[in-house]
Amino acid sequence: MRPKTFVQKIWLTISLVVVITVSFSYFLLNYFYKNLYVDKVEQTLVEEGKNIAADYHGGPITDDYRQQVEWYNEKSTAEVLLVNNPRELSACLPFEVDYDSLIHEADRETLLLGKVVTKIGYEKRFGRKIMGVVVPLLDHHRLEGVLYLYIPLATIQDMTKEVAIIWLPLAGLFVIVLVIFGKKMANRLVGPLKEMEQVAYRMSHGEYEAQIRIQADDEIGRLAKAFNIMAKAIYEEDMRKREFLANVSHELRTPLSYVKGYSEAILQGMVKTKEEEKKYVKLIHREAGRMERLVCDLLDLARLEEKSIPLQKTLLVFSQIVEDTIEKYEPFLQEKAITITADLNPDIIIEGDADRIEQVIHNLLDNAIRYTPTGGEIYVKLTPVGNERCQLVIRDSGKGIPKDKLPFLGQRFFRVDAARTRKEGGTGLGLAIVKQIVQLHHGTITFASEEGKGTEVVIDLPVWKEADTSSE
């Protein structure tokens, strides 16, 4: 059996509700007919019969009493008969009833006890049921006669006839409209879900840019909105992965080409002298080192972004780390005759991972020295900012960076040099790593530059504050 669709389930639910509502209405109608109308008629007949019987004071039934009953019969909406012998009651009726004897022996015993007997039966003359009550006229324990009061019962159709003339066409129209509207409503409710199914199917085939139309601000509308956000996030993540793979491939392709070309030249005997062979081996070693740095930087950046590297935070004298790192670059500074000026506040203490903070300063100094021309200057300054933060400024006198490219600094594989030349070294990941480390230390990094005058990098970090113990 083919499973039902969601639209069919909603439509069936609506139809089932309609059927239950109609059935419940029919049940209520019959319940009120029996408990309100029929019982009320019986109660009225019994009360009238007992009132008339109250005027009988025993002995043979007199003509005056019979005339009194006839008078009451003319005034009452019910038919009232006075019969001396209950067994002859059927013969006294002006019409046939659907039972042979109106009063049976059991009824007679009930009447002798002074109790009222109620009868309901179908009568062809009226084309409907009639209700009759038999009230005994007792002289001590002798049944002198009975009062028989009867009235035709209105049917449910009679009671609702006037209403039915208006109600039935409207009810039919209501059912038709409800069925049509129910199907449209089901389609409207399920429409976004179908669209989500189609978009999800397209996404499974790599079409992440697909979006769902938001038609309402209800639960389904909000679900569609969340689905669009998720699709956009997946799309952006997919783009980043593609860009990442393209960048990695691009970065590895050149050194691999060098390694392959030089090694093939050596293996095929194209290198004639020892000097040439040594030169090629050095080139292979250099490119292998470049690939090693690239892989290490990629692994390092991935772990920093995933926060999978636990930081070993301790209290650090910030200026000492800066001085130690600058000292390691002395040979390179001398080689390019670069003058470095350091203005470091020795009282600034931060809480951080010493190796990672040193890596930050190392990467920034490495860039500053790389892009500062021979005979240039580098300025390093560490100062407090207020009572809770400090700033480390590293400013070089290099060629500077165009302003439109400053926002891209810190992105993976971003190089200011559009030609992606590697003659100045670098993997394009250094600033991305610096940015992640600074963020993990709750700091910020900003860049300012002017072409032809140099670049300034500012790192803002929180300083360590000794806990106030005066209140203890």
Side-chain angles (χ1 to χ4, degrees):
M1 183 177 178
R2 187 177 179 181
K4 292 182 176 57
T5 64
F6 192 47
V7 173
Q8 291 174 328
K9 290 179 180 177
I10 293 178
W11 196 20
L12 287 174
T13 301
I14 294 174
S15 301
L16 184 61
V17 170
V18 172
V19 172
I20 292 174
T21 302
V22 172
S23 301
F24 185 68
S25 300
Y26 181 77
F27 167 77
L28 283 180
L29 190 61
N30 282 276
Y31 174 81
F32 289 132
Y33 174 79
K34 172 65 173 62
N35 291 275
L36 296 183
Y37 174 69
V38 175
D39 290 353
K40 183 65 178 179
V41 170
E42 181 183 8
Q43 182 182 357
T44 301
L45 290 178
V46 170
E47 288 179 356
E48 288 185 2
K50 286 184 176 180
N51 289 333
I52 299 172
D55 293 334
Y56 172 71
H57 302 291
I61 295 175
T62 64
D63 292 338
D64 292 339
Y65 183 72
R66 191 177 297 279
Q67 291 176 358
Q68 184 178 345
V69 172
E70 291 176 356
W71 176 86
Y72 192 87
N73 180 43
E74 294 176 357
K75 303 297 181 182
S76 175
T77 55
E79 292 292 331
V80 183
L81 298 175
L82 174 60
V83 180
N84 292 88
N85 187 356
R87 290 191 176 87
E88 298 175 354
L89 182 60
S90 298
C92 297
L93 293 175
F95 51 86
E96 297 292 334
V97 294
D98 59 351
Y99 34 79
D100 297 333
S101 179
L102 194 61
I103 300 298
H104 299 278
E105 189 60 30
D107 296 331
R108 183 180 178 82
E109 295 299 327
T110 302
L111 292 172
L112 286 172
L113 294 175
K115 296 181 180 179
V116 176
V117 175
T118 301
K119 297 284 185 179
I120 297 178
Y122 182 78
E123 208 292 308
K124 294 181 181 179
R125 175 184 173 187
F126 298 104
R128 64 183 59 177
K129 291 183 177 180
I130 62 172
M131 170 181 280
V133 294
V134 183
V135 181
L137 298 175
L138 295 174
D139 180 14
H140 299 289
H141 297 291
R142 185 167 179 273
L143 187 63
E144 291 291 339
V146 297
L147 291 171
Y148 182 64
L149 296 86
Y150 71 91
I151 189 171
L153 290 176
T155 63
I156 295 177
Q157 291 78 10
D158 294 331
M159 297 175 64
T160 60
K161 186 176 181 180
E162 294 182 359
V163 178
I165 295 174
I166 302 174
W167 185 79
L168 286 177
L170 291 177
L173 180 63
F174 173 74
V175 171
I176 294 172
V177 171
L178 189 61
V179 170
I180 297 174
F181 176 76
K183 189 169 186 180
K184 288 186 176 180
M185 185 174 68
N187 286 327
R188 182 178 176 80
L189 290 174
V190 178
L193 299 179
K194 287 183 176 178
E195 196 170 351
M196 285 183 205
E197 179 189 12
Q198 295 170 357
V199 171
Y201 181 78
R202 291 170 60 188
M203 288 177 61
S204 67
H205 289 76
E207 298 181 36
Y208 299 113
E209 69 280 7
Q211 293 281 293
I212 300 172
R213 290 174 301 150
I214 300 175
Q215 302 177 358
D217 189 25
D218 52 13
E219 287 81 356
I220 294 181
R222 289 192 288 274
L223 177 61
K225 186 177 181 180
F227 192 92
N228 284 341
I229 294 173
M230 181 189 69
K232 185 178 180 181
I234 294 175
Y235 173 70
E236 292 176 351
E237 184 61 25
D238 182 68
M239 291 298 294
R240 282 196 291 270
K241 286 182 179 177
R242 293 184 184 186
E243 183 182 2
F244 175 76
L245 290 175
N247 288 329
V248 171
S249 300
H250 182 85
E251 295 296 329
L252 290 176
R253 186 169 52 195
T254 301
L256 282 174
S257 298
Y258 279 123
V259 171
K260 183 179 180 184
Y262 292 141
S263 61
E264 286 180 350
I266 294 173
L267 292 173
Q268 293 175 5
M270 298 173 64
V271 180
K272 303 300 182 184
T273 63
K274 286 290 184 182
E275 289 73 16
E276 288 182 336
E277 182 178 346
K278 187 176 181 181
K279 175 185 174 183
Y280 284 6
V281 170
K282 283 185 176 178
L283 290 172
I284 292 172
H285 183 267
R286 184 193 69 185
E287 297 303 324
R290 177 175 295 171
M291 287 189 291
E292 183 182 24
R293 289 196 299 275
L294 175 62
V295 172
C296 290
D297 285 348
L298 282 172
L299 291 174
D300 214 13
L301 180 60
R303 288 186 293 178
L304 287 169
E305 289 179 341
E306 294 175 358
K307 297 180 175 58
S308 60
I309 296 180
L311 296 179
Q312 305 295 327
K313 288 188 175 181
T314 58
L315 298 183
L316 306 172
V317 179
F318 201 0
S319 61
Q320 187 63 50
I321 296 178
V322 177
E323 288 176 352
D324 292 344
T325 309
I326 292 175
E327 188 176 347
K328 294 178 182 177
Y329 277 93
E330 282 298 333
F332 302 97
L333 294 170
Q334 292 178 6
E335 182 180 350
K336 295 185 69 174
I338 294 174
T339 302
I340 187 165
T341 303
D343 180 10
L344 308 175
N345 188 322
D347 296 329
I348 296 176
I349 298 176
I350 63 172
E351 186 176 15
D353 188 309
D355 291 337
R356 292 298 173 183
I357 293 296
E358 183 177 339
Q359 187 178 4
V360 168
I361 301 169
H362 178 279
N363 287 358
L364 295 178
L365 281 178
D366 194 62
N367 283 341
I369 295 172
R370 182 180 303 133
Y371 297 112
T372 298
T374 302
E377 297 178 348
I378 295 176
Y379 178 68
V380 181
K381 184 179 182 179
L382 176 63
T383 56
V385 179
N387 295 324
E388 298 182 350
R389 303 192 73 85
C390 67
Q391 281 188 349
L392 175 66
V393 179
I394 299 177
R395 184 187 309 129
D396 63 52
S397 57
K399 58 185 179 181
I401 301 171
K403 289 185 178 179
D404 60 336
K405 294 184 177 178
L406 286 177
F408 301 103
L409 292 177
Q411 293 185 0
R412 289 180 296 186
F413 296 109
F414 176 76
R415 285 194 178 94
V416 177
D417 185 357
R420 286 178 174 268
T421 176
R422 293 169 182 77
K423 65 181 181 181
E424 293 176 325
T427 60
L429 299 173
L431 286 181
I433 293 174
V434 168
K435 189 176 179 180
Q436 289 295 324
I437 294 174
V438 171
Q439 288 178 349
L440 289 175
H441 285 80
H442 310 293
T444 61
I445 181 171
T446 56
F447 303 92
S449 183
E450 187 175 350
E451 288 187 89
K453 293 187 177 180
T455 302
E456 180 182 274
V457 182
V458 179
I459 292 179
D460 184 281
L461 289 172
V463 298
W464 177 77
K465 298 290 291 182
E466 187 176 3
D468 183 6
T469 58
S470 59
S471 61
E472 295 180 357

